[in-house]
Amino acid sequence: MSAGSRVVRTAGKYGLYQVARRLTSGQPRILMYHRFTEEPAGGEASRKSFRKQVAYIRRYYHPMTLETLCGYLESGESLPRNAVVITVDDGYRDFYDIAWPVLREYSVPATLFATTGFVSGDLWLWPDKITWLLDNAGKNNSAFQWQSLVVKENELKTDAHRIWKSLIDFLLSVPDEEKYHVIAALAGTWGLELPEKAPKPFAACSWDQLRELQAAGIEIGGHTVTHPTLGQVSDEQAQREINECRSRIELELGRKPCSFCYPNGMPGDFSAGLMKRVKDSGFRCAVAAFSDSAGMKHRFALRRHSGGDSWFQFSKAISGVELIGHYLRGQEKVYP
């Protein structure tokens, strides 16, 4: 933990979070989650931790969907104080099984971004394929190389997490089509055959479940069809990913989706041109996957704060301490 984090953690015990909440009460916070687990496992939000976070939001904040927040931003009306939006990316089944019962218990709304090809069962997400390959390769893996990417023989015995991270980072940097060639080559080198359908730990919600969630007040937003990094595909594919995602959600759920989420969502993963495509396709707002001092400045690149299992990270994000830090440092990432 950095020295700054230690200071914040200590100051938090003496009222820092309450002061920050008052100072930033006019600035909405959007929280970003991905996966949920029954018990703590890595950085994923466990049921117990998520319940504690949702209960805290219900007590001290004004939770709303991203569509509701978007309505305020479009109209220029004053937002309720301490507005918070819980967003969840991808559309994994564990949202329905674990997060949704907690949200329902506390009557807290949320926005779930659906990758439509994933929900339809046409594909499973490529980072999960990397996890599956590492889990099934055994410790005596063969050496693998693709350009600058190198996995040494038997390296899984000592550093599986680093290998996973290096594979993910490399695949995020290459064109979308090449990404799948690399994954296929890695599977072949290790003598593995990837399942056609997502294995149970990586399964998506069904459309019936999304219809149930929407009827109960959960907003369903768009997250492309196949989850490519949009900055790594052609203009034509980006247009298809955005438009077909929007139209499939409308077809299945009976209403046009309001909100869009850029896959990966870092500054290099979308551009002003892509933001215009999202707007022109009929979405009314979109979210990135990082936070800085821009906050709600760009309606098609709304900033989000990381959520997960850590109460410390949740406290920094929800209270506004993280946002104040960005303001003090003048941190706004390069406008895409």
Side-chain angles (χ1 to χ4, degrees):
M1 180 182 294
S2 69
S5 292
R6 286 194 294 271
V7 169
V8 170
R9 187 186 291 272
T10 301
K13 298 177 182 178
Y14 296 96
L16 174 64
Y17 299 136
Q18 291 84 349
V19 171
R21 183 171 70 239
R22 288 195 294 270
L23 290 175
T24 61
S25 62
Q27 179 66 36
R29 243 88 72 213
I30 305 175
L31 302 180
M32 171 180 62
Y33 295 84
H34 289 83
R35 301 298 309 270
F36 299 88
T37 57
E38 288 292 351
E39 301 297 331
E44 299 163 350
S46 65
R47 186 188 292 270
K48 181 178 179 180
S49 294
F50 190 60
R51 177 178 282 112
K52 182 180 178 181
Q53 293 173 19
V54 171
Y56 190 85
I57 289 171
R58 176 79 277 169
R59 182 176 181 182
Y60 294 109
Y61 291 85
H62 190 110
M64 60 181 62
T65 64
L66 193 57
E67 182 173 15
T68 300
L69 173 62
C70 180
Y72 281 105
L73 296 177
E74 288 173 328
S75 68
E77 291 182 56
S78 297
L79 275 152
R81 309 298 284 179
N82 293 312
V84 169
V85 178
I86 294 174
T87 65
V88 182
D89 293 9
D90 303 322
Y92 285 102
R93 172 65 183 262
D94 53 49
F95 175 82
Y96 181 84
D97 291 339
I98 299 173
W100 164 233
V102 173
L103 293 166
R104 183 176 56 203
E105 177 184 351
Y106 288 95
S107 300
V108 169
T111 297
L112 177 66
F113 296 111
T115 304
T116 56
F118 181 40
V119 173
S120 298
D122 301 328
L123 56 95
W124 49 305
L125 301 186
W126 67 265
D128 296 332
K129 293 182 177 182
I130 296 301
T131 299
W132 186 91
L133 288 171
L134 293 177
D135 287 345
N136 288 275
K139 299 299 182 182
N140 298 313
N141 63 286
S142 303
F144 177 79
Q145 181 169 1
W146 188 289
Q147 298 178 14
S148 62
L149 175 66
V150 177
V151 179
K152 297 177 182 178
E153 186 173 0
N154 298 333
E155 195 173 11
L156 284 176
K157 288 181 178 179
T158 58
D159 215 350
H161 179 72
R162 188 197 64 77
I163 294 172
W164 182 88
K165 189 175 187 309
S166 66
L167 286 165
I168 297 297
D169 289 346
F170 178 80
L171 292 173
L172 284 171
S173 72
V174 301
D176 193 57
E177 185 176 355
E178 182 179 353
K179 176 191 304 173
Y180 292 99
H181 289 316
V182 176
I183 292 172
L186 181 61
T189 298
W190 289 352
L192 297 170
E193 184 175 349
L194 284 157
E196 183 178 345
K197 300 290 185 180
K200 187 175 180 180
F202 310 116
C205 290
S206 68
W207 285 113
D208 281 344
Q209 288 166 344
L210 293 191
R211 282 187 275 273
E212 178 187 341
L213 291 169
Q214 180 176 270
I218 299 296
E219 177 192 1
I220 309 300
H223 199 34
T224 73
V225 178
T226 68
H227 203 277
T229 303
L230 291 176
Q232 300 285 1
V233 301
S234 67
D235 290 344
E236 292 76 15
Q237 183 179 345
Q239 191 72 63
R240 287 196 304 273
E241 291 282 347
I242 296 165
N243 287 351
E244 291 179 14
C245 168
R246 182 197 56 74
S247 60
R248 184 62 184 271
I249 292 174
E250 183 178 2
L251 175 67
E252 294 285 352
L253 303 185
R255 67 189 303 269
K256 294 179 180 179
C258 166
S259 312
F260 183 81
C261 175
Y262 302 101
N264 203 46
M266 300 308 288
D269 298 326
F270 58 98
S271 63
L274 283 169
M275 291 163 66
K276 185 176 186 303
R277 287 181 188 276
V278 171
K279 180 179 181 180
D280 291 346
S281 75
F283 288 103
R284 292 163 49 201
C285 64
V287 294
F290 59 88
S291 63
D292 61 15
S293 60
M296 305 294 107
K297 180 178 176 182
H298 309 298
R299 186 155 51 89
F300 286 88
L302 300 170
R303 290 3 184 192
R304 293 190 292 170
H305 299 263
S306 295
D309 209 57
S310 167
W311 182 255
F312 177 54
Q313 170 56 32
F314 171 78
S315 298
K316 288 193 303 178
I318 195 74
S319 67
V321 166
E322 202 166 62
L323 186 61
I324 290 171
H326 292 319
Y327 286 151
L328 292 176
R329 292 186 293 269
Q331 288 185 332
E332 180 175 347
K333 292 180 172 64
V334 177
Y335 183 65

